[in-house]
Amino acid sequence: MDRPALKLEAQRMLSSHFPFFLVLFLPVLLLDFASAAAYYLASQNGAFRNQLTQSGTVVSINQDMLVKYLIFSTVLTILISLLTAGMMFRSIDLLRNKAKFDQPVNKSFTIFNNWQYFKGAVIIGILTSILAILWSILFLIPGIIKSFSYVQSINIYRDALDAGKPIGYLEAITQSRQMMNGHKWEYFVMDLSFIGWEIVEGLTFGIASLWVEPYITLSFSNFYIKLADRPDQDDLSTIFKKQHDQND
């Protein structure tokens, strides 16, 4: 996998259509800002205070504020994950030249405009989280490795839907595991390669996110495309069938 080439292609597309991607990613960026603001307000109101007094007793925290923050933060995290999945879908379509650079607001809410997309994202998200947690309970490192095996599940599920050959949620996870076989390290290195950009985001108080978040999403969309569309890749609908035939 030519990581620099993948990222360069993403940079070129982003540079050529930056206003489009700015509007496309704006809902997620606003929710990220809301999440940071909620954390700041909660911390200022003692939600995370956990200090010792001179007598050695623990200072009580603001439990009401803490509960409100946890609920609000959880809801935001779910919304951000769902919106990001939809933006990944559209980024894949754009890189494949199957979509136009128009109607960015409508495309921002792709995941909510299609019930099958929404349902798949929620259920697959729950299943892959459970699987990763179970592996992490057994062994920490294998759990992390396994989480990389499942990252393409929702993209595979969506591709199968769009091709008119819908598959089950567990089938999508199985196909993702097979697709990522031999590529988990490349994905991990790709993830690490954005650390510098994420530091820049922090130093600029999130302003750099206007560029960085679309850049990261486009890069990982390109990573998926190069795996899913390579000439030697089996049709998505036949991978699970082959495995089933082998088990019979």
Side-chain angles (χ1 to χ4, degrees):
M1 186 73 67
D2 190 347
R3 176 171 50 82
L6 296 182
K7 296 173 70 175
L8 181 59
E9 187 175 352
Q11 287 179 11
R12 288 173 175 170
M13 177 170 285
L14 180 56
S15 298
S16 300
H17 304 279
F18 180 67
F20 170 84
F21 285 105
L22 177 61
V23 177
L24 178 68
F25 279 80
L26 191 58
V28 164
L29 297 175
L30 291 175
L31 289 178
D32 282 334
F33 176 79
S35 179
Y39 179 86
Y40 175 78
L41 292 174
S43 63
Q44 292 299 304
N45 286 276
F48 309 114
R49 186 179 300 141
N50 187 23
Q51 301 174 343
L52 296 178
T53 63
Q54 292 181 351
S55 62
T57 59
V58 179
V59 176
S60 62
I61 62 175
N62 187 334
Q63 295 183 353
D64 182 59
M65 175 60 68
L66 179 59
V67 170
K68 289 180 179 179
Y69 167 75
L70 291 176
I71 294 174
F72 184 68
S73 178
T74 300
V75 171
L76 282 183
T77 299
I78 294 173
L79 287 175
I80 290 172
S81 298
L82 290 171
L83 286 171
T84 300
M87 292 174 190
M88 178 76 76
F89 295 164
R90 291 310 172 206
S91 295
I92 290 172
D93 291 341
L94 291 166
L95 287 163
R96 283 173 168 168
N97 295 316
K98 292 183 177 180
K100 297 180 180 180
F101 295 94
D102 60 2
Q103 300 180 330
V105 175
N106 183 57
K107 287 181 170 65
S108 293
F109 298 95
T110 291
I111 202 72
F112 297 109
N113 294 333
N114 187 308
W115 168 244
Q116 293 299 324
Y117 288 177
F118 177 82
K119 182 172 67 172
V122 171
I123 295 177
I124 289 175
I126 293 173
L127 291 175
T128 53
S129 296
I130 292 174
L131 290 171
I133 290 172
L134 290 175
W135 275 100
S136 297
I137 291 174
L138 295 175
F139 302 101
L140 177 60
I141 300 301
I144 297 174
I145 294 174
K146 276 296 180 180
S147 67
F148 289 130
S149 297
Y150 308 139
V151 293
Q152 308 300 355
S153 302
I154 185 59
N155 295 325
I156 292 172
Y157 178 82
R158 196 285 297 239
D159 269 354
L161 278 177
D162 287 359
K165 302 175 181 179
I167 58 177
Y169 310 118
L170 291 177
E171 293 179 28
I173 293 172
T174 297
Q175 291 182 18
S176 175
R177 179 174 54 79
Q178 294 174 338
M179 179 181 286
M180 290 298 291
N181 185 32
H183 299 283
K184 290 186 286 294
W185 175 252
E186 293 173 331
Y187 191 94
F188 175 68
V189 173
M190 176 90 122
D191 202 18
L192 286 179
S193 70
F194 291 105
I195 289 180
W197 283 106
E198 290 168 353
I199 292 174
V200 172
E201 284 185 284
L203 293 176
T204 59
F205 300 99
I207 296 176
S209 300
L210 300 174
W211 169 273
V212 176
E213 293 307 311
Y215 174 38
I216 292 176
T217 301
L218 281 168
S219 296
F220 280 111
S221 298
N222 215 7
F223 187 99
Y224 169 73
I225 290 171
K226 294 303 185 288
L227 289 181
D229 297 356
R230 66 183 191 271
D232 62 327
Q233 175 68 33
D234 285 322
D235 181 81
L236 293 174
S237 63
T238 65
I239 294 178
F240 189 79
K241 182 177 183 301
K242 283 186 176 182
Q243 185 188 32
H244 177 73
D245 293 340
Q246 291 173 358
N247 293 335
D248 287 344

